[in-house]
Amino acid sequence: MKKLLVVIFSLMLLSFFACGKPSDTLKPGFKIGFMGPLTGDDANYGKLMSQASKIAIEEFNEKGGFRGFGAELIVEDTQGRVEKGNPAIEKLAGVDKVIGIIGDVFSTVSLAVAPKAEAAKIVMISPSSTHKDLPDKGKFIFRDVINDDLQAVVFAKYLANVEKVKTLAILYIKNDYSQALAKAVQDQYEKEGGKVVASETGLQGDKDFKTQLTKIKSKNPEALYIPNYVAEIAQILEQAKQLGINAKIYSADGFSQPQILELAGSLANGVIYTQIAEQPASNARKTFEAKYEKKWGEKPDAFSLNAYDGTNIILNSVVATAEVIDGNLKIDRDKLRDEVAKTKNYDGASGKITFTENGDLVANIGIYTVENQKFKQIRMFKLEGQKLVELK
């Protein structure tokens, strides 16, 4: 029975990874890659986002592609690990000859593969990698998600000046995403007059955080900041309750993955976290969310909206720059990159998208919580210089 289940699961994965090919009515045209975890503890992040990219590709092909040439999505499972990401980018660049990549999902992998995407002149748009240094890896590197520095500064100012929290403990994971947020929040929070009374760490994949939490409990902080991914967050929330830690729990945009509601259950209620501020729901978002839920039987998360938009930005840029010469499709990678870079006020499912000169996203920050197992934005802010300004 176990062997049968393994075979069935393998066939399901093969079917999923092979998806996204143009229909028989279209000529083979160009390929776009998706990189992210499809297996392992963090698989749900990549699963939801890649499903969004697949919808964008299908819509493009259903409309006739570009002058009869179709697009194909190539999905690579990186498991959120650099040692899987490096061969994945080499395959996408060298074998598949993709002209664009959506991903990687995690900052650590994105930082590792970005120089290779840059060298191959592949437009790379990450829907979820927030590390501040990512866009600086090259002119072909973009993201349509907020960066850690902006998120951290807004959160630290909010914590110190709005919620008036005087003492903070931090428990972070040793990866580029979590470490960067932890350091940036601590630096800014202390500048605002707050005191970090404990800073503990663990490894991705750890299941036991009681040693770190016991040390944190002894410091009696008002607040505990856990800027991690949901697999570790769920463990921390459960073990903090078991140890009787009464500190208010805060997190970052990694918490926004819907799987946290399953993993943590009612313990997710009341956690406050930061994420890109909600924009008024556009027709594009409503249409996409309805299509996504009908096709996949589940709702997309915020990162899935970014993946859908990033895929469409690349597709639209192909339409704007590609040529058909003597019956052959020609895509100039430099022109494609320049078209992507010009993105301004793009009306996507995630809202209005504008890239900065170095490929970052122009954005405001939302403060969110979970009430009755549902995500809810409670406030939103922007920075004017070093001043925190609340938006209504």
Side-chain angles (χ1 to χ4, degrees):
M1 180 65 180
K2 184 176 180 181
K3 289 183 178 179
L4 177 60
L5 290 174
V6 169
V7 170
I8 293 172
F9 181 68
S10 299
L11 289 173
M12 289 172 64
L13 280 180
L14 180 62
S15 174
F16 182 83
F17 291 161
C19 71
K21 292 185 178 181
S23 68
D24 294 337
T25 61
L26 296 176
K27 292 176 283 187
F30 58 93
K31 299 175 182 178
I32 293 175
F34 176 91
M35 295 178 62
L38 272 298
T39 54
D41 286 345
D42 301 306
N44 209 45
Y45 285 100
K47 171 175 167 282
L48 294 185
M49 286 183 244
S50 59
Q51 289 175 172
S53 288
K54 184 176 187 293
I55 289 176
I57 295 291
E58 288 179 345
E59 289 175 342
F60 177 81
N61 289 334
E62 286 168 0
K63 294 175 183 176
F66 174 71
R67 295 174 63 177
F69 289 90
E72 181 177 352
L73 182 68
I74 308 294
V75 177
E76 292 292 330
D77 178 15
T78 66
Q79 297 179 9
R81 296 159 54 193
V82 171
E83 58 267 33
K84 296 290 185 179
N86 281 326
I89 184 64
E90 289 166 5
K91 174 182 175 293
L92 289 171
V95 178
D96 300 309
K97 308 293 184 184
V98 299
I99 53 93
I101 289 174
I102 303 301
D104 191 90
V105 166
F106 290 157
S107 291
T108 297
V109 183
S110 289
L111 289 167
V113 304
K116 296 178 180 180
E118 178 72 16
K121 293 189 174 184
I122 299 171
V123 170
M124 175 176 155
I125 304 178
S126 176
S128 54
S129 293
T130 56
H131 193 283
K132 66 181 181 65
D133 294 338
L134 181 59
D136 297 327
K137 294 297 180 180
K139 69 176 188 177
F140 281 77
I141 312 303
F142 301 82
R143 64 166 154 230
D144 56 351
V145 67
I146 53 175
N147 73 66
D148 287 337
D149 266 12
L150 176 61
Q151 183 175 189
V153 169
V154 169
F155 170 73
K157 286 179 175 289
Y158 170 79
L159 195 65
N161 302 318
V162 179
E163 296 218 353
K164 307 294 184 182
V165 171
K166 302 299 182 185
T167 58
L168 175 69
I170 302 173
L171 176 49
Y172 67 93
I173 302 302
K174 289 182 178 178
N175 60 43
D176 288 300
Y177 167 74
S178 190
Q179 287 180 186
L181 276 168
K183 183 180 186 307
V185 163
Q186 178 167 349
D187 289 348
Q188 187 65 44
Y189 180 68
E190 290 177 339
K191 287 179 183 177
E192 302 296 325
K195 184 178 180 180
V196 175
V197 296
S199 182
E200 297 292 329
T201 189
L203 298 176
Q204 198 159 337
D206 281 355
K207 307 298 182 185
D208 188 352
F209 296 93
K210 288 184 179 178
T211 298
Q212 299 96 317
L213 289 168
T214 298
K215 292 178 182 178
I216 287 170
K217 183 180 179 181
S218 70
K219 300 297 183 179
N220 194 31
E222 292 179 52
L224 172 60
Y225 182 53
I226 48 175
N228 308 317
Y229 297 129
V230 295
E232 289 77 28
I233 290 174
Q235 298 287 347
I236 292 169
L237 290 176
E238 180 178 357
Q239 291 163 28
K241 181 181 180 182
Q242 291 170 353
L243 292 171
I245 292 176
N246 295 316
K248 182 72 176 177
I249 308 294
Y250 295 84
S251 190
D253 58 343
F255 182 86
S256 68
Q257 226 289 330
Q259 193 177 28
I260 191 63
L261 304 178
E262 302 171 19
L263 296 176
S266 62
L267 295 178
N269 290 328
V271 175
I272 292 176
Y273 66 99
T274 48
Q275 188 183 323
I276 188 169
E278 281 185 357
Q279 300 186 48
S282 65
N283 289 331
R285 176 171 180 169
K286 294 173 183 176
T287 300
F288 168 69
E289 288 180 333
K291 181 176 290 188
Y292 190 103
E293 191 165 2
K294 181 178 179 180
K295 182 174 182 64
W296 301 112
E298 57 188 333
K299 294 181 179 180
D301 65 350
F303 296 133
S304 298
L305 305 182
N306 299 344
Y308 177 73
D309 289 341
T311 308
N312 276 321
I313 286 171
I314 293 175
L315 292 170
N316 292 343
S317 297
V318 168
V319 172
T321 60
E323 298 178 282
V324 176
I325 301 175
D326 296 328
N328 297 311
L329 179 64
K330 303 291 183 182
I331 297 175
D332 186 304
R333 291 173 182 260
D334 290 297
K335 289 181 179 178
L336 178 66
R337 177 267 164 201
D338 290 345
E339 187 67 25
V340 170
K342 291 192 299 185
T343 300
K344 185 176 182 180
N345 290 324
Y346 172 77
D347 191 13
S350 64
K352 299 288 186 182
I353 296 175
T354 296
F355 289 134
T356 64
E357 187 174 342
N358 77 330
D360 223 330
L361 178 70
V362 177
N364 297 315
I365 303 297
I367 305 296
Y368 293 75
T369 192
V370 175
E371 290 184 359
N372 300 317
Q373 296 294 93
K374 293 182 179 180
F375 297 117
K376 178 183 178 181
Q377 179 174 278
I378 52 178
R379 304 178 82 163
M380 60 179 172
F381 297 88
K382 69 175 181 178
L383 279 180
E384 290 184 353
Q386 288 298 307
K387 183 180 179 182
L388 189 65
V389 177
E390 184 164 10
L391 302 170
K392 301 298 183 182

